[in-house]
Each structure stands twice: as C-alpha cells, then as structure tokens.
C-alpha cells in the first residue's frame, strides 16, 4: 500500500514519479497495479488532501466511484498484458487553469479522459464538459498533439455502452475496462510516459485576449503556447525588424498584417505594444513632453473598455497602452499642433476604418475639425507629426467589414500614404496577397509572407467558424451551414440553440460550475423589441450604464 503522506505533496508526482518541482498538480497518480491494490479510503483521503474544500457530496461521489474504478482497472490488468505500464491520474489540475478532469488514463499511446457523473443519463453540459477536456488536451498538451484523446462520460448509476454523442462516448462503469483495452490496442505513435505527461510546461493553453493583455502588462512576456507561438512569432519578429529599421534610418513605415478570424492578429498587436525592445527607441522631445513607445488602438468599443479595465493599474484608467480609435481621432484631428507621444501606432481591425463620410458624421460637429479625410488618412497625418520616425501597423481581418462606412477597405490606406505630407519618406510592408492593392503606387511596397497569419488558433481548431457566421449573415441557413456546424461540433466548438432562456441559463451554470475562471452572460440586441417580455431589458435607459470591463472581467461575486 502506498504511503498516504506521499500524496500531500500535490505539486509533485505521487507514487514514485520523482520530486521534480515543475510537475503539475493532481490528487492521485499511479500505475494501474498500485491504484487497483490500494485501499479505496487511502485514495479518497489523498483526494481530500488535494481538494481541501471538497463538499460532502463530492466526498460521497469519490467513495462511490473509486471502488468501481478499481474493479474496472483490475479487469484491464487481467485482459491486457501491457496494462501494468498504464497510469491513472485523478483530479489532474490543468496547469495555469483551475479545471480538473476526474480521471485521465494513459493507456499505451492513448489518452482516455473519464468524467464521472452520479446519474443514469448525462446532460448536454456533461457531454460538452468532457469534450472540452479532450479538445484542450489535444490542442495544448505537448504529449497529446499527435495522439487520440478520447472523451468519455460515465453515468455511474447506469450499465452498458450508450454509444457516442457529439464525439463523446457514454459508458456505464461496467464498460470502462473494455473501452480502455480497446483504445490501448489502437495504433499510436509511442507509449505515453507519465512523467512527461505530468510536466507542468507540457500543457500550455492559449489565454483569452484579456488574460494575454494582463500577462503582458504584469510580466512583460506572454506564456509559450505551442500552436500560437509558431503561428504568430514570425509576424512579431518581422514587425520588430521593421521598427528597428525605422528608428535607425529615421523613416516612416506602414505595416499591414492580414489573417483569418481567430489567427492572432490582435495578439500580435498587443505583443508589439508591450515589447521591451521599444523602450529605448523613442526620441526625446525638445519641449520635454513625455513619450511612450506604442499604443494599441481599436474601433471595437467594448474591447477597448474591457482591456482598459484589465490594465487600469498601468495608470490613466488603463489608457497608457489601449485607446479607442474614436477618442484618438477626436483628440488629434481638432489640434493640428498636437504631437502623439508614441512612435508606433497599432490600428486593430484596420480593414474596418471609416471612410470620409462616416468620419464626418462622427466628428463633424467638433470645433476645429476639417472634413474630407478617412480614418487611415487621419492616422497617417497624425504619424507624420511624430519626430523623425514612426510605424503605423494595421491589423487586417479577412472579410470583416460589417458596418456602414467600412466598405472601402485597404484602398483607403494606399490613398492615405500617397497623400501624406511627405509620401517619399514612407515605405509599405504587407503580405503578398495584398500587393495588388498597391500596384503602381509611388510609395514602395515590400512583400513579406510572414505578415500573413493563416493558422487559426483562437477557436480550438474550429477553422470553419467564420465561414458559418458569414453564411448565416447572408441568410443561407441551408445544407452548407448544416455541414459547417457538424464540422465545428466534431472539432470541439459547440453551438447550442434554445428557445428557453431559463434552459440556456441552467445549461451554462451547470456547464461551468467547476470552472470559476469561466465567464458567461447574455448579449442582447438593442434592436429586438420583444426581449422585455423575457426579462431582458435592452432599452436605452437600461443599457446606457453598462460597463463592459467589470461585466466581462469580474467573477460571479461582482
């Protein structure tokens, strides 16, 4: 029987896996022979020592399920000659997160995630929870990148095999042994080593945009994300070279970064704004005015509110690094002599920049405002005021112009540079697929393939999401939409539709009950006049005081 005290050190592997400081946290980890032979009370005590605030219901669930697991793993050991090398990990805490799959079984080269529910039939939230565990291990765990990761929900009060729904297997406890044995015999690259699986840096999840901004502000760096780093590093490094060239040669540059939705364009912009290499590049102003390396500008008002709320400790209500495009244009368009303190201006969603007519509607009543310029023209003019050198970075999303005044697209940026006060001092850099927009321009264009982000990283491999949204907005919910929805479901991106608001709320509360970092809420159209009947006040008076930062960033206790 294992020494119970070994499981108190839950930041290190138990049962003889060594005392490496960089091991992930978990409640119990051992080979199947040790797990099967241990007293079930010892295992439960280890789990209680790890999860010290476990509820009485949770403890009873462990008491019910641990003996069942031991019985099933005993059968695996009897029927599979290689099973003595398999591993059972209970309450594995996903590094840098608070979520914990109930059981992870490393069976040869296969990974089986078991989510145990004290029911006769799992709910949709149960299935989606298990699916998300398997999806995230596939996406973000180094040892799972080329392996099968099987999601299984186990209703502990049922018996038999209930098939597969939404990519999740539903098994009674009595069928766990057969399932594990079968998956272990399937082709796999190589047997999984528990020590390598449990290394804390083996799991590197993609942070949300808000969390990424917070990490960049507090530490100056962003966690290494296996897929995201490979997808975005070339663009960040290319931008860094252009910025250093601009500072060294005292020139002005427009950099265009394109990408499919979810490819990390905004992440590239935030990483650039927070880059330490910018700190010593700014040129002191003769009048002693304070300078800043860079600013991130977005026309997405709610995004700006959320990021400023998260970065408010930086001073100025979070406006040191993030500003709204509207406010920036308002400030500098009416004061011709005012010089931006930054040398690098990052314009998010630059393809949605307003044309002259829309800018006139937005700012025409401001004293000192001169009409006739698009937002790109304004920004190139603002950048031209900056002493000696500057870089304007436009983050371009494919096919995301959605509001009136945004249809002119990239052509506005060409016109803006060509009509600059000193167009000969400008250089344009962008991916080859936009070069045709600048063909024949007097301003030199340098094609750079690394400024095109083609790998979708934000939606867990759900590369078809933007296509589905596009087809729905075009009013075509037909066969293509159904096919895209099925593809998304198989990739772990779940779309759920309900005509009952209470059912939707109940689903979300159940789905994320074990994930305190999850954020969910209701987004309602202000144009829908029927929502009041459903208890969703969305009129002007009800919504004018909404603050997006706390709504998005704070937990349920807020």
């Amino acid at each position: 029987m294992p020494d119970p005290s070994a499981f108190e050190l839950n930041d290190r592997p138990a049962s003889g896996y060594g005392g490496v400081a960089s091991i992930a946290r978990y409640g119990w980890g051992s080979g199947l022979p040790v797990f099967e032979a241990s007293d079930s009370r010892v295992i439960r005590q280890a789990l209680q020592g790890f999860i010290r605030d476990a509820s009485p219901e949770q403890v009873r669930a462990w008491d019910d399920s641990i003996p069942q697991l031991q019985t099933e793993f005993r059968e695996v050991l009897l029927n599979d000659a290689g099973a003595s090398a398999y591993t059972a990990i209970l309450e594995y805490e996903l590094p840098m997160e608070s979520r914990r799959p109930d059981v992870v079984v490393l069976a040869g080269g296969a990974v089986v995630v078991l989510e145990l529910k004290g029911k006769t039939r799992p709910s949709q939230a149960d299935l989606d929870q298990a699916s998300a565990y398997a999806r995230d291990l596939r996406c973000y765990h180094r040892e799972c990148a080329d392996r099968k990761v099987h999601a299984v929900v186990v209703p502990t009060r049922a018996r038999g095999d209930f098939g597969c729904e939404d990519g999740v297997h539903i098994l009674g406890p009595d069928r766990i042994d057969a399932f594990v044995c079968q998956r272990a015999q399937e082709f796999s690259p190589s047997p999984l080593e528990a020590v390598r699986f449990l290394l804390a840096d083996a799991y590197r999840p993609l942070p949300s945009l808000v969390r990424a901004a917070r990490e960049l502000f507090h530490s100056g760096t962003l966690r290494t994300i296996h897929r995201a780093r490979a997808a975005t590093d070339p663009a960040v490094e290319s931008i860094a070279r252009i910025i250093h060239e601009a500072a060294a040669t005292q020139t002005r540059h427009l950099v265009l970064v394109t990408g499919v939705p979810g490819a990390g364009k905004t992440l590239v912009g935030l990483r650039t704004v927070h880059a330490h290499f910018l700190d010593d590049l700014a040129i002191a102003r003769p009048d002693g005015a304070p300078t800043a390396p860079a600013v991130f500008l977005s026309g997405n008002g709610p995004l700006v509110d959320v990021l400023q709320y998260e970065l408010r400790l930086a001073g100025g209500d979070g406006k040191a690094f993030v500003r709204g495009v509207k406010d920036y244009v308002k400030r500098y368009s009416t004061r011709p002599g005012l010089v931006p303190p930054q040398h690098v201006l990052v314009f998010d969603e630059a393809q949605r920049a307003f044309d002259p007519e829309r800018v006139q509607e937005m700012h025409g009543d401001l004293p000192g405002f001169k009409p006739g310029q698009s937002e790109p023209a304004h920004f190139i003019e603002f950048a031209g005021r900056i002493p000696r050198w500057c870089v304007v970075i436009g983050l371009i999303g494919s096919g995301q112009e959605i509001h009136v005044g945004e249809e002119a697209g990239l052509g506005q940026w060409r016109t803006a540079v060509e009509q600059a006060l000193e167009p000969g001092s400008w250089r344009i850099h962008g991916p080859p697929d936009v070069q045709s927009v600048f063909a024949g321009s007097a301003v030199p264009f340098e094609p750079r393939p690394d400024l095109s982000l083609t790998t979708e990283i934000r939606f867990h491999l759900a590369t078809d999401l933007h296509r589905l949204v596009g087809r729905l907005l075009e009013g075509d919910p037909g066969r293509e939409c159904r096919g895209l929805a099925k593809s998304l479901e198989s990739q772990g991106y779940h779309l759920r539709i309900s005509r009952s608001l209470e059912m939707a709320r109940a689903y979300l509360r159940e789905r994320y009950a074990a994930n305190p970092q999850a954020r969910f809420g209701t987004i309602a159209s202000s144009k829908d006049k029927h929502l009041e009947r459903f208890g969703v006040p969305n009129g002007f008076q009800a919504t004018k005081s909404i603050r997006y930062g706390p709504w998005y960033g704070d937990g349920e206790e807020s």
Side-chain angles (χ1 to χ4, degrees), residues 23 189 196 234 292 347 428 541:
I23 293 296
R196 291 180 60 84
F347 193 123
I428 304 173
Q541 293 299 326

Side-chain angles (χ1 to χ4, degrees), residues 361-374:
E361 289 180 23
M362 297 286 290
H363 303 287
D365 59 345
L366 295 175
F369 178 82
K370 294 182 179 180
Q373 286 187 305
S374 66

